[in-house]
Amino acid sequence: MGRIAVKKIQAVVKAIFRRQNYREKKLLSGEAPIRVFVSSVMDDKMAPVREKFVAVLDKLDFFVPWAFEFTPPSSQGLEDAYLSKVKECDFLVWLVKDETTEPVINEIHTALDNNISILVYRFRSDSIIDDNTNMIIKEISNKGKWIELSNINEIDDAIRLAFGDEIIRALRRKPGLDRIAKLEEMKTKSKARCLARWLSVGVSSSVAEDFFVNTHIGAPSSDLINILSKKRLAIIVGDFGSGKSLLSERLLQKAIESSIIHLDAPVPIYLEGQNEITDLEDLILRGGKEIGNIKRNGAFVIIDGIDQSVNNNFFEVNYQAQLIISEWENTTIVITTRPTFEPLTTENIYPIPLLDDNQIISLVNLVCDEIIDTRVFYEMPDSVHESLRRPFFSLLWSKYIEKQEFSTLGSPGELINFFVEYIVFSSFGNFQDSIELLEKLAISSTNVGGVFVPWRDIGSVTEIQTLLTTRLVTRTGELIGFTLPIFTQWFAANGLLKHKEEISKFVANPRLLINWYYPISIILDMFSFIDSMAVLEEVMKIRPGLLA
């Protein structure tokens, strides 16, 4: 063998070893690809959809789709084969049709049992879905991500965006269903607020739960729905106890449900009016950051009780709301407020409807053991009858009927006094001490604009715990306040009559005087003539021109 031939052989051998060495040192993935199980009814209609999904997933790096028709024959039993693949997958994609077969139900149940993330894709259709499909949708409503498609051409982007979001969340160490979890948390908080309001007026826990489930209670009227659809801004106006907050909660709950089901639905936002609102746009964007893209999807915003804090100027917030809905498509804003001392002239005003006599009776009969009818109104003072058109007073009246057996009421104020004296404190000692603490809390809260105040400024741990058991008061961290603004204002009004020195403090200070607008209104509207004159006389001593 010549030298040239030997050199050629040596060169080939070296090349082989270099290649082998490269192969040994090449970095390979330490993890198996992400496995995606494609679940759907298998028929001629769904075949092209399944093929498209598999093709798109197959093109994505790190993803391996599994679909029954694309796998080789196996000795494993048919049902065991596909259910074992569900257990092994990282994601299950459910392609929703109008009907759902038993194999698909088994696949989804297996995914749920094994904590497999579920992505749901459905094409928009006017067809009615069957009971099986409805059942599964309800089961996974808070466990799966729901995506609607218009046609097969949207599949590519829908898959890339959905799985891209899942990867981003995982890298940021957020749960895969963080968005759904946030919406469920919003729904839970909304329910808690509803129950707390009903419980605070003496309704039992079981009846409060029934009220919540009965979505006809507090449901928005067709007139309000029309205002929201056409103008996208509604100012719901009503006096205390008229049901403004419940109405806003029902609107919020509907928006939450829509956002859970539809990825492109407006993002629900809830803002409490007792908190200062200076930059509404910033509050909305920050509030919806973890739920959806507000600039793309829009928002459904509730601002409940803008009148509850003197730090908020209704007209400024309304102006900001007008700007937002003009700039953001698909955005709706609902603001609730009591009538203010400045006339509200905006065209988006929606006066909340009061109850008619039959609605009063229906509501009372849901709570009261006594069955009553409209004849009870015949000998009732007009002021009491009219107050019952607000649900707050109707619920108080139901408790009054149970305890007083239709004895005559002289004024709406007697209903609140009755509630405080006979319902809230019937099980507690030191009645007078508790009343004084409540009045102290109300005065302190009113002086700072109706917001919660440090509990340590009001009483000891034992005293505060006693107040909390009344359900009139709630605590948030180091702060304490009343569950309903009416209770703040009612006890502030009562406390003012006992501590007339407080009058001089706020009458001389225009800023504080605004804070006391509603408590003074209660005294003038619901208290006796003697009480009203006692307050007015104190005012006249300091600022006689104020009443001119």
Side-chain angles (χ1 to χ4, degrees):
M1 184 179 297
R3 290 182 178 181
I4 295 176
V6 170
K7 287 183 178 180
K8 286 184 177 180
I9 292 172
Q10 288 175 341
V12 170
V13 171
K14 286 181 180 179
I16 292 172
F17 274 102
R18 280 198 301 270
R19 184 171 297 178
Q20 182 65 34
N21 192 42
Y22 167 77
R23 286 176 177 171
E24 290 175 354
K25 291 184 178 180
K26 182 182 179 181
L27 293 177
L28 300 174
S29 173
E31 296 291 339
I34 296 171
R35 292 161 293 192
V36 183
F37 187 99
V38 181
S39 174
S40 77
V41 173
M42 295 181 64
D43 58 17
D44 293 338
K45 181 179 178 181
M46 294 301 293
V49 178
R50 290 175 63 88
E51 289 176 9
K52 179 69 173 177
F53 265 82
V54 170
V56 174
L57 286 167
D58 199 42
K59 292 177 183 177
L60 296 178
D61 292 336
F62 316 118
F63 285 84
V64 174
W66 194 97
F68 182 81
E69 67 270 35
F70 293 96
T71 56
S74 171
S75 60
Q76 195 175 17
L78 189 61
E79 183 171 351
D80 291 339
Y82 63 74
L83 291 183
S84 67
K85 296 301 180 183
V86 173
K87 295 175 184 177
E88 295 169 3
C89 75
D90 301 293
F91 289 95
L92 181 141
V93 168
W94 178 29
L95 310 178
V96 183
K97 193 186 173 185
D98 300 327
E99 59 182 7
T100 301
T101 58
E102 185 174 350
V104 174
I105 295 173
N106 292 337
E107 290 165 4
I108 293 173
H109 282 164
T110 300
L112 290 172
D113 292 340
N114 290 272
N115 294 318
I116 306 297
S117 296
I118 300 176
L119 299 178
V120 186
Y121 293 82
R122 186 187 180 205
F123 290 95
R124 293 185 178 91
S125 170
D126 294 329
S127 302
I128 299 175
I129 58 179
D130 67 3
D131 292 337
N132 282 340
T133 305
N134 272 319
M135 175 190 72
I136 296 297
I137 287 173
K138 289 179 180 178
E139 285 188 37
I140 68 172
S141 63
N142 63 341
K143 300 182 179 72
K145 183 175 181 179
W146 185 281
I147 301 164
E148 282 199 343
L149 304 173
S150 298
N151 56 66
I152 198 170
N153 296 323
E154 295 181 351
I155 290 176
D156 194 297
D157 286 340
I159 290 177
R160 293 178 187 277
L161 290 172
F163 282 99
D165 286 348
E166 295 296 327
I167 292 172
I168 291 170
R169 289 190 190 99
L171 288 172
R172 290 175 176 166
R173 297 184 178 180
K174 291 183 179 179
L177 298 179
D178 185 60
R179 173 181 169 276
I180 300 296
K182 291 289 184 184
L183 289 167
E184 288 293 335
E185 182 183 14
M186 285 186 69
K187 187 163 65 172
T188 300
K189 287 183 177 180
S190 177
K191 177 180 179 180
R193 288 191 296 267
C194 291
L195 296 181
R197 292 184 184 105
W198 288 317
L199 292 172
S200 69
V201 293
V203 173
S204 68
S205 298
S206 60
V207 172
E209 286 284 351
D210 291 342
F211 279 2
F212 182 79
V213 173
N214 185 353
T215 53
H216 293 295
I217 296 178
S221 67
S222 57
D223 288 342
L224 178 57
I225 297 299
N226 288 334
I227 291 175
L228 293 176
S229 62
K230 294 177 181 178
K231 300 181 179 179
R232 296 192 289 124
L233 173 63
I235 314 300
I236 300 176
V237 180
D239 213 333
F240 68 85
S242 57
K244 302 183 299 297
S245 292
L246 178 58
L247 175 54
S248 69
E249 295 287 2
R250 292 304 195 193
L251 290 168
L252 177 69
Q253 290 154 18
K254 187 175 180 180
I256 292 171
E257 291 295 341
S258 178
S259 190
I260 288 174
I261 296 174
H262 306 290
L263 269 179
D264 58 353
V267 177
I269 302 290
Y270 177 81
L271 301 174
E272 291 184 296
Q274 68 176 11
N275 298 323
E276 187 172 3
I277 299 173
T278 53
D279 188 337
L280 182 58
E281 178 176 339
D282 181 62
L283 283 175
I284 294 172
L285 290 174
R286 285 194 286 114
K289 183 173 60 176
E290 296 180 339
I291 299 175
N293 188 327
I294 290 179
K295 289 294 183 71
R296 182 184 64 205
N297 293 1
F300 190 95
V301 184
I302 299 292
I303 306 174
D304 186 31
I306 193 67
D307 58 286
Q308 291 180 29
S309 173
V310 295
N311 295 321
N312 291 326
N313 183 308
F314 165 79
F315 298 97
E316 173 60 27
V317 174
N318 179 55
Y319 174 70
Q320 292 185 44
Q322 293 276 10
L323 290 179
I324 289 170
I325 64 170
S326 66
E327 294 174 3
W328 297 357
E329 293 183 2
N330 208 27
T331 292
T332 301
I333 299 178
V334 177
I335 303 173
T336 71
T337 182
R338 286 176 64 179
T340 64
F341 48 83
E342 296 182 67
L344 301 178
T345 57
T346 173
E347 62 179 6
N348 300 305
I349 291 291
Y350 174 76
I352 192 165
L354 298 177
L355 302 178
D356 61 32
D357 286 355
N358 290 325
Q359 289 172 322
I360 295 172
I361 297 300
S362 296
L363 179 59
V364 170
N365 283 336
L366 289 174
V367 181
C368 187
D369 293 334
E370 301 282 345
I371 303 300
I372 60 174
D373 58 41
T374 55
R375 288 175 294 181
V376 298
F377 299 130
Y378 294 163
E379 297 182 359
M380 184 178 288
D382 289 342
S383 61
V384 176
H385 187 186
E386 287 304 309
S387 72
L388 298 182
R389 302 198 185 283
R390 289 179 260 170
F392 170 80
F393 285 99
S394 290
L395 292 174
L396 293 187
W397 187 47
S398 69
K399 308 306 294 184
Y400 184 87
I401 291 171
E402 288 182 351
K403 299 292 182 181
Q404 304 293 330
E405 298 181 352
F406 298 101
S407 60
T408 303
L409 280 166
S411 70
E414 287 185 26
L415 267 178
I416 301 179
N417 274 332
F418 155 78
F419 176 73
V420 171
E421 294 177 11
Y422 293 98
I423 301 297
V424 178
F425 296 107
S426 59
S427 302
F428 302 100
N430 300 320
F431 172 80
Q432 192 56 44
D433 291 343
S434 297
I435 288 289
E436 289 177 1
L437 279 174
L438 288 168
E439 290 170 352
K440 181 180 179 181
L441 170 60
I443 290 172
S444 298
S445 177
T446 301
N447 279 332
V448 293
V451 299
F452 281 28
V453 296
W455 66 264
R456 298 178 192 277
D457 295 346
I458 305 303
S460 67
V461 173
T462 303
E463 290 172 328
I464 296 303
Q465 189 56 44
T466 300
L467 295 187
L468 292 174
T469 57
T470 67
R471 293 176 174 172
L472 284 176
V473 173
T474 186
R475 177 179 168 183
T476 303
E478 293 295 308
L479 302 178
I480 191 172
F482 287 89
T483 53
L484 294 175
I486 175 55
F487 291 135
T488 307
Q489 295 150 14
W490 178 262
F491 282 105
N494 278 278
L496 194 62
L497 291 173
K498 297 177 185 175
H499 303 280
K500 294 188 178 66
E501 68 276 7
E502 293 291 332
I503 297 177
S504 62
K505 295 179 182 178
F506 67 75
V507 170
N509 186 334
R511 178 77 173 177
L512 282 178
L513 185 59
I514 295 174
N515 296 356
W516 282 89
Y517 172 78
Y518 289 118
I520 291 176
S521 296
I522 286 175
I523 293 174
L524 299 180
D525 291 343
M526 293 189 175
F527 286 23
S528 69
F529 176 77
I530 295 175
D531 289 336
S532 298
M533 288 305 301
V535 172
L536 294 178
E537 286 173 1
E538 291 296 320
V539 172
M540 291 177 66
K541 289 178 185 177
I542 304 167
R543 294 183 65 182
L546 191 64
L547 301 176

PDB file of all heavy atoms in Angstrom, residues 11-25:
ATOM      1  N   ALA A  11      -6.559  10.013   7.091  1.00  0.00           N
ATOM      2  CA  ALA A  11      -7.430  11.196   7.068  1.00  0.00           C
ATOM      3  C   ALA A  11      -8.890  10.820   7.304  1.00  0.00           C
ATOM      4  O   ALA A  11      -9.625  11.495   8.026  1.00  0.00           O
ATOM      5  CB  ALA A  11      -7.291  11.925   5.744  1.00  0.00           C
ATOM      6  N   VAL A  12      -9.325   9.707   6.669  1.00  0.00           N
ATOM      7  CA  VAL A  12     -10.706   9.242   6.852  1.00  0.00           C
ATOM      8  C   VAL A  12     -10.958   8.854   8.294  1.00  0.00           C
ATOM      9  O   VAL A  12     -11.989   9.190   8.897  1.00  0.00           O
ATOM     10  CB  VAL A  12     -11.014   8.078   5.895  1.00  0.00           C
ATOM     11  CG1 VAL A  12     -12.352   7.439   6.238  1.00  0.00           C
ATOM     12  CG2 VAL A  12     -10.994   8.541   4.456  1.00  0.00           C
ATOM     13  N   VAL A  13      -9.988   8.124   8.877  1.00  0.00           N
ATOM     14  CA  VAL A  13     -10.141   7.683  10.281  1.00  0.00           C
ATOM     15  C   VAL A  13     -10.235   8.881  11.220  1.00  0.00           C
ATOM     16  O   VAL A  13     -11.071   8.936  12.129  1.00  0.00           O
ATOM     17  CB  VAL A  13      -8.963   6.758  10.679  1.00  0.00           C
ATOM     18  CG1 VAL A  13      -8.993   6.485  12.185  1.00  0.00           C
ATOM     19  CG2 VAL A  13      -9.036   5.461   9.917  1.00  0.00           C
ATOM     20  N   LYS A  14      -9.363   9.907  10.990  1.00  0.00           N
ATOM     21  CA  LYS A  14      -9.401  11.097  11.832  1.00  0.00           C
ATOM     22  C   LYS A  14     -10.747  11.815  11.709  1.00  0.00           C
ATOM     23  O   LYS A  14     -11.304  12.319  12.680  1.00  0.00           O
ATOM     24  CB  LYS A  14      -8.266  12.035  11.428  1.00  0.00           C
ATOM     25  CG  LYS A  14      -6.893  11.556  11.890  1.00  0.00           C
ATOM     26  CD  LYS A  14      -5.822  12.552  11.458  1.00  0.00           C
ATOM     27  CE  LYS A  14      -4.437  12.075  11.910  1.00  0.00           C
ATOM     28  NZ  LYS A  14      -3.367  13.008  11.475  1.00  0.00           N
ATOM     29  N   ALA A  15     -11.234  11.862  10.473  1.00  0.00           N
ATOM     30  CA  ALA A  15     -12.530  12.524  10.253  1.00  0.00           C
ATOM     31  C   ALA A  15     -13.639  11.803  10.995  1.00  0.00           C
ATOM     32  O   ALA A  15     -14.539  12.427  11.577  1.00  0.00           O
ATOM     33  CB  ALA A  15     -12.834  12.578   8.757  1.00  0.00           C
ATOM     34  N   ILE A  16     -13.590  10.475  10.966  1.00  0.00           N
ATOM     35  CA  ILE A  16     -14.606   9.683  11.676  1.00  0.00           C
ATOM     36  C   ILE A  16     -14.551   9.962  13.161  1.00  0.00           C
ATOM     37  O   ILE A  16     -15.580  10.160  13.832  1.00  0.00           O
ATOM     38  CB  ILE A  16     -14.410   8.177  11.380  1.00  0.00           C
ATOM     39  CG1 ILE A  16     -14.742   7.886   9.906  1.00  0.00           C
ATOM     40  CG2 ILE A  16     -15.266   7.338  12.316  1.00  0.00           C
ATOM     41  CD1 ILE A  16     -14.405   6.470   9.468  1.00  0.00           C
ATOM     42  N   PHE A  17     -13.309  10.004  13.713  1.00  0.00           N
ATOM     43  CA  PHE A  17     -13.172  10.250  15.149  1.00  0.00           C
ATOM     44  C   PHE A  17     -13.609  11.671  15.522  1.00  0.00           C
ATOM     45  O   PHE A  17     -14.206  11.904  16.568  1.00  0.00           O
ATOM     46  CB  PHE A  17     -11.724  10.004  15.591  1.00  0.00           C
ATOM     47  CG  PHE A  17     -11.433   8.564  15.930  1.00  0.00           C
ATOM     48  CD1 PHE A  17     -10.749   7.750  15.039  1.00  0.00           C
ATOM     49  CD2 PHE A  17     -11.875   8.022  17.136  1.00  0.00           C
ATOM     50  CE1 PHE A  17     -10.512   6.429  15.345  1.00  0.00           C
ATOM     51  CE2 PHE A  17     -11.619   6.684  17.444  1.00  0.00           C
ATOM     52  CZ  PHE A  17     -10.947   5.879  16.540  1.00  0.00           C
ATOM     53  N   ARG A  18     -13.305  12.634  14.651  1.00  0.00           N
ATOM     54  CA  ARG A  18     -13.743  14.009  14.916  1.00  0.00           C
ATOM     55  C   ARG A  18     -15.268  14.100  14.952  1.00  0.00           C
ATOM     56  O   ARG A  18     -15.853  14.757  15.800  1.00  0.00           O
ATOM     57  CB  ARG A  18     -13.184  14.952  13.836  1.00  0.00           C
ATOM     58  CG  ARG A  18     -11.735  15.342  14.064  1.00  0.00           C
ATOM     59  CD  ARG A  18     -11.384  16.593  13.251  1.00  0.00           C
ATOM     60  NE  ARG A  18     -11.581  16.399  11.842  1.00  0.00           N
ATOM     61  CZ  ARG A  18     -10.645  15.953  11.014  1.00  0.00           C
ATOM     62  NH1 ARG A  18      -9.441  15.645  11.478  1.00  0.00           N
ATOM     63  NH2 ARG A  18     -10.899  15.833   9.726  1.00  0.00           N
ATOM     64  N   ARG A  19     -15.907  13.428  13.976  1.00  0.00           N
ATOM     65  CA  ARG A  19     -17.367  13.428  13.932  1.00  0.00           C
ATOM     66  C   ARG A  19     -17.956  12.748  15.169  1.00  0.00           C
ATOM     67  O   ARG A  19     -18.929  13.201  15.745  1.00  0.00           O
ATOM     68  CB  ARG A  19     -17.836  12.740  12.652  1.00  0.00           C
ATOM     69  CG  ARG A  19     -19.352  12.777  12.452  1.00  0.00           C
ATOM     70  CD  ARG A  19     -19.727  12.267  11.069  1.00  0.00           C
ATOM     71  NE  ARG A  19     -19.170  13.134  10.037  1.00  0.00           N
ATOM     72  CZ  ARG A  19     -19.313  12.892   8.731  1.00  0.00           C
ATOM     73  NH1 ARG A  19     -19.945  11.812   8.319  1.00  0.00           N
ATOM     74  NH2 ARG A  19     -18.791  13.715   7.849  1.00  0.00           N
ATOM     75  N   GLN A  20     -17.327  11.604  15.544  1.00  0.00           N
ATOM     76  CA  GLN A  20     -17.816  10.877  16.715  1.00  0.00           C
ATOM     77  C   GLN A  20     -17.659  11.736  17.970  1.00  0.00           C
ATOM     78  O   GLN A  20     -18.533  11.795  18.823  1.00  0.00           O
ATOM     79  CB  GLN A  20     -17.044   9.548  16.875  1.00  0.00           C
ATOM     80  CG  GLN A  20     -17.526   8.688  18.048  1.00  0.00           C
ATOM     81  CD  GLN A  20     -18.956   8.216  17.841  1.00  0.00           C
ATOM     82  OE1 GLN A  20     -19.363   7.968  16.707  1.00  0.00           O
ATOM     83  NE2 GLN A  20     -19.725   8.118  18.913  1.00  0.00           N
ATOM     84  N   ASN A  21     -16.521  12.429  18.060  1.00  0.00           N
ATOM     85  CA  ASN A  21     -16.258  13.286  19.212  1.00  0.00           C
ATOM     86  C   ASN A  21     -17.267  14.440  19.270  1.00  0.00           C
ATOM     87  O   ASN A  21     -17.754  14.820  20.324  1.00  0.00           O
ATOM     88  CB  ASN A  21     -14.835  13.826  19.112  1.00  0.00           C
ATOM     89  CG  ASN A  21     -14.378  14.476  20.415  1.00  0.00           C
ATOM     90  OD1 ASN A  21     -14.645  13.945  21.478  1.00  0.00           O
ATOM     91  ND2 ASN A  21     -13.681  15.601  20.307  1.00  0.00           N
ATOM     92  N   TYR A  22     -17.621  14.995  18.105  1.00  0.00           N
ATOM     93  CA  TYR A  22     -18.622  16.063  18.027  1.00  0.00           C
ATOM     94  C   TYR A  22     -19.972  15.567  18.513  1.00  0.00           C
ATOM     95  O   TYR A  22     -20.657  16.239  19.277  1.00  0.00           O
ATOM     96  CB  TYR A  22     -18.714  16.554  16.580  1.00  0.00           C
ATOM     97  CG  TYR A  22     -19.922  17.432  16.331  1.00  0.00           C
ATOM     98  CD1 TYR A  22     -19.937  18.754  16.749  1.00  0.00           C
ATOM     99  CD2 TYR A  22     -21.049  16.914  15.681  1.00  0.00           C
ATOM    100  CE1 TYR A  22     -21.037  19.551  16.519  1.00  0.00           C
ATOM    101  CE2 TYR A  22     -22.146  17.711  15.458  1.00  0.00           C
ATOM    102  CZ  TYR A  22     -22.135  19.033  15.875  1.00  0.00           C
ATOM    103  OH  TYR A  22     -23.221  19.814  15.645  1.00  0.00           O
ATOM    104  N   ARG A  23     -20.300  14.340  18.070  1.00  0.00           N
ATOM    105  CA  ARG A  23     -21.593  13.777  18.481  1.00  0.00           C
ATOM    106  C   ARG A  23     -21.644  13.579  19.987  1.00  0.00           C
ATOM    107  O   ARG A  23     -22.670  13.789  20.629  1.00  0.00           O
ATOM    108  CB  ARG A  23     -21.838  12.448  17.762  1.00  0.00           C
ATOM    109  CG  ARG A  23     -22.207  12.616  16.293  1.00  0.00           C
ATOM    110  CD  ARG A  23     -22.335  11.277  15.626  1.00  0.00           C
ATOM    111  NE  ARG A  23     -22.755  11.415  14.238  1.00  0.00           N
ATOM    112  CZ  ARG A  23     -22.783  10.398  13.349  1.00  0.00           C
ATOM    113  NH1 ARG A  23     -22.400   9.189  13.738  1.00  0.00           N
ATOM    114  NH2 ARG A  23     -23.174  10.616  12.118  1.00  0.00           N
ATOM    115  N   GLU A  24     -20.522  13.164  20.554  1.00  0.00           N
ATOM    116  CA  GLU A  24     -20.512  12.903  21.993  1.00  0.00           C
ATOM    117  C   GLU A  24     -20.615  14.192  22.808  1.00  0.00           C
ATOM    118  O   GLU A  24     -21.191  14.212  23.887  1.00  0.00           O
ATOM    119  CB  GLU A  24     -19.223  12.162  22.361  1.00  0.00           C
ATOM    120  CG  GLU A  24     -19.181  10.742  21.842  1.00  0.00           C
ATOM    121  CD  GLU A  24     -17.849  10.078  22.108  1.00  0.00           C
ATOM    122  OE1 GLU A  24     -16.921  10.758  22.589  1.00  0.00           O
ATOM    123  OE2 GLU A  24     -17.737   8.878  21.837  1.00  0.00           O
ATOM    124  N   LYS A  25     -20.061  15.287  22.257  1.00  0.00           N
ATOM    125  CA  LYS A  25     -20.056  16.539  22.995  1.00  0.00           C
ATOM    126  C   LYS A  25     -21.267  17.423  22.703  1.00  0.00           C
ATOM    127  O   LYS A  25     -21.471  18.424  23.348  1.00  0.00           O
ATOM    128  CB  LYS A  25     -18.783  17.320  22.673  1.00  0.00           C
ATOM    129  CG  LYS A  25     -17.523  16.671  23.239  1.00  0.00           C
ATOM    130  CD  LYS A  25     -16.313  17.533  22.962  1.00  0.00           C
ATOM    131  CE  LYS A  25     -15.063  16.915  23.562  1.00  0.00           C
ATOM    132  NZ  LYS A  25     -13.863  17.748  23.288  1.00  0.00           N
TER     133      LYS A  25
END
